[in-house]
Every structure is written in structure tokens, then in C-alpha cells.
Amino acid sequence: MKKENRSSLPTFEQSAGHYLADTQLRKNIGHATQTIRKKRDDVTGELPDWEELRESGRQIKQQVMNNLDDYLLELEESVTAAGGVVHWAADADEANQIVTQLIREKQETEVVKVKSMTTDEIRLNEALQNAGITALETDLAELIVQLAGDESSHILVPAIHKNRSEIRDLFKEKLNIEHLSDEPADLAEAARLYLRKNFLKAKIGISGGNFAVAETGTVAVVESEGNGRMCTTLPDTLITVLGIEKIIPKWCDLEVFMQLLPRSSTAERMNPYNTFWTGTTDGDSPQEFHLVLLDNGRTKVLADETGRQTLHCIRCSACLNICPVYERTGGHAYHSIYPGPIGAILTPQLRGLDDSSAASLPYASSLCGACYEVCPVKINIPEVLTHLRGNIVEHNKKNGGIRFKMDSTHVGMRLMARAFRSRKRYERLQKIGQTGQKLFEKDGMISKLPGELSKWTDFRDLKPIPKQTFREWWRDRS
Ligand code: SF4
């Protein structure tokens, strides 16, 4: 999928059909998510206190959200005391301006960057490009996406939609390599050689962060390849862009998240590379450290009592890997940096319900609840989904005018609500349905209904209303 203009994005419903029809994509994603799901079950199952860990993670995050203002100030104080500089960004534009200005002050035109969803969210690479600055992605999967001029389709494995031979062809073309196999080791080696020379000459590194400890001012990046460590330690200046929800109160709280995150995300007991830094140290690693703390709609999410738990997310991607909807459509159908179940609740809250593409996402779910069961910090995603669906109806009632009032789904729902409010009406409708359905019933199923009702039977068969309802059966017995 090529990069798109976000001002007129299609809804999930409009996109899903297109991606569902791509059998290669479904095969790539199905294979990857099923493999990681199995591995995740094994490594979480071996911990006797996994459920207690999840509960601790939830409680720590809840405590942070209830006192976010205090923790943010504490973090600023700790980072400053350790020699770093903290910048506050209310939105994407402000964050992009801060980063661009910092790079301009150094008179640099090239930076290395390690995978950061937050910088994807604010479209930092584009903003830098407009300012004449090239940002080279150094995470292998992000590099693949960047070379292809593509968009990420998974939180953790942005190139999950591409298979090995597609990546080999891309590397051969973009990195000018004549002979290359599609063996993972050969592909990784090709990327390593390309990245190494860029690491060695880079004066500025840009990173995201998984956690920021308010007590000490420490920022943490966990990863699998070591490129993040190169990016955060080799350049003279390090700029980290962090959403304000990434705070944890104390150093010892890391113990909980350093167990929850790797097991939930990559199904590893520990990430191969865990990099922690606290401000700057004379003669060692970056001599300048800037921390950009980004709001960009997060305080609005915080103000909503039910939606607030969305900010607990540690971006492990377990909910994507288990989701039957994500598994079939892949990430691009969501038209959001954050795909899958977490994207379905985070994106509409960050972008607002006037954005029709974002507002379609809470419906991209079967509400099976699997995402809630795997979430390492126990975010009740189905609860937030239904809460947002309610908000969308209210929003449309206020702003949708006559078009919304005449919408067939809305009219159908209102009629159903009326029927369910009265036992007599409900039973009368059942009787009408029992008689009317005879025209459409075949072999004990209804496969084709007329008019607006066909929206249901176009995609699934319907069981007919039984000859005797439960209430009738009950009355007969009493
Ligand atoms: S919502 Fe939960 S499962 Fe999904 S990415 Fe966030 S922390 Fe992981």
C-alpha cells in the first residue's frame, strides 16, 4: 500500500473487502500471527504468576493515569537533573517543529532513526523531508517499509505483509545488490551492511521509547536487533519522542513490564537488547539528550473515564496477533498507524469522531473478547469498543442531520429498541416473523432476505425463528 493522504481516508468497511481478496497477504499474515500466538502461549504459560503480573501492570498504569500531571513534572525534573532537556509538544506540528529545529541547530541534513510508532503518528519523516532532512529507518522491518515507500501494517512487525521473496526483490532493486537469496540470514546481512555505514557517520539519532521512569529520568528501548542500541548510543545527539502515557513511576516497576512486554510481543523471555539511559554522561554516548513529550490528543483520552484505559497500552501487539479481524484483513485496512484492536480504540479517540475513517474502526471487531484475554495490562478492549460505538451514535445524532435519521441501520436499531421495550410488541413481532419467514426458508436456513435485510444474508445465513419460542414452551409447562 502506497502512502496516502489522511484527510480523505476510506472507512474500514470500504477497505476490508479489498484486503480480504488478497490471498497472498492473508497467507503471509495468517502464517505469522498463528506462529507467534503459539509461541506466546508457551512462554506466558510457563510463568506461575502471569495473571498476578498482568494485574500489577494494570494497577501501575492506572496509578500513572490517575496522577499523570504529577508524574510528568517528576520526570521533567529527573531528566533535567541528569543533563537532558525536556520539550513539551501539544500536537504533531509542534513536535515536528521542535525536532526539525534541533536538527537545524546542528546543521545536519541526515539522521538515523529507530522504530518509533510515536514518530510515525506525527509523520515526522515527512516533516523532516519537507525541511530537507533525510531520516533513515534502522529497524529492519521499518527499513523494508521505508524502501518500499509503503506503510507499516503491524505494531511490532511493520513488514508482516511481505514475505521473504518480496523482501529479496526489494533489496536487490533498492540497495543495488545483484545476487541475493531469500534466506533470513542473507537478507539481514544485506541490511546490516547498508545500515552500518550510516550508523558510523550519523551525528544525530532519533528514537522512540518504551518506558520513561519518573523517579530516575531513565528512558528505555527494548528491541531484538541491536539497531536501536546503535541509534541511541553512537550519535552525538539523541532526540527521543515519547507519548506522555509511557511513564512508569519507579525503577522497580520495570520489573513487571520487562516480563510482560517481551513475552506478549515477541514471545521471548527477555528482549535481546534492552537499552536504558539517564540523561548524559561526560565522554560516553550522546553528549546531548532531548526528550520531546507529546500530547497529541492523549489528555482528551485521559478525560474519558472508560476510554482512559486505552493509554495503558504498552504496544506489545498481542491483541493484533489474536484478532480474527486483523488476521484476515491485515493492518492497512485500518488506515491508521495503530492497527488491530488497539488501533480500533486508540485511533478514533486520538483523531476524533468527525474523522469518518477513524470512526469506522470500533466496528472492525466481532467483540469476541480474545484481545482482552491476552492483553498484558488487562485493557478491556471490548468495553471501550462498545463505549465508542455508543459515542459514535450520539455524535451522529447531533451532527448527522436528516441523513442519519433516515439511515437504514439507525432506523432498524430504533425499531428493535421499541420492540424490545415491550413484551407484547416483541411477541407480536415474533409471530409476524414466524409467518413471514416461510417465504424465504429453505432446508432449515434463511439465505436470502429482501431489501435492507439482505445486508445480513449477503454475508451469512440466518436460522429461522423456531416454531415454538422459549416463552411459549415455558408457558406450556407452567
Ligand atoms: S492493547 Fe494490550 S494487547 Fe494490545 S498492544 Fe496494547 S498492551 Fe498489547
Side-chain angles (χ1 to χ4, degrees), residues 155 264 310 312-320 341-342 345 371 374-379 381:
I155 289 181
S264 301
T310 313
H312 295 188
C313 177
I314 55 172
R315 310 277 188 265
C316 72
S317 75
C319 58
L320 277 69
I342 180 61
I345 59 171
C371 47
V374 295
C375 179
V377 285
K378 292 169 101 171
I379 299 173
I381 296 176

Side-chain angles (χ1 to χ4, degrees), residues 52 74 151 171 178 341 443:
E52 285 83 355
E74 189 183 347
E151 294 231 325
F171 278 6
E178 217 172 302
D443 301 330

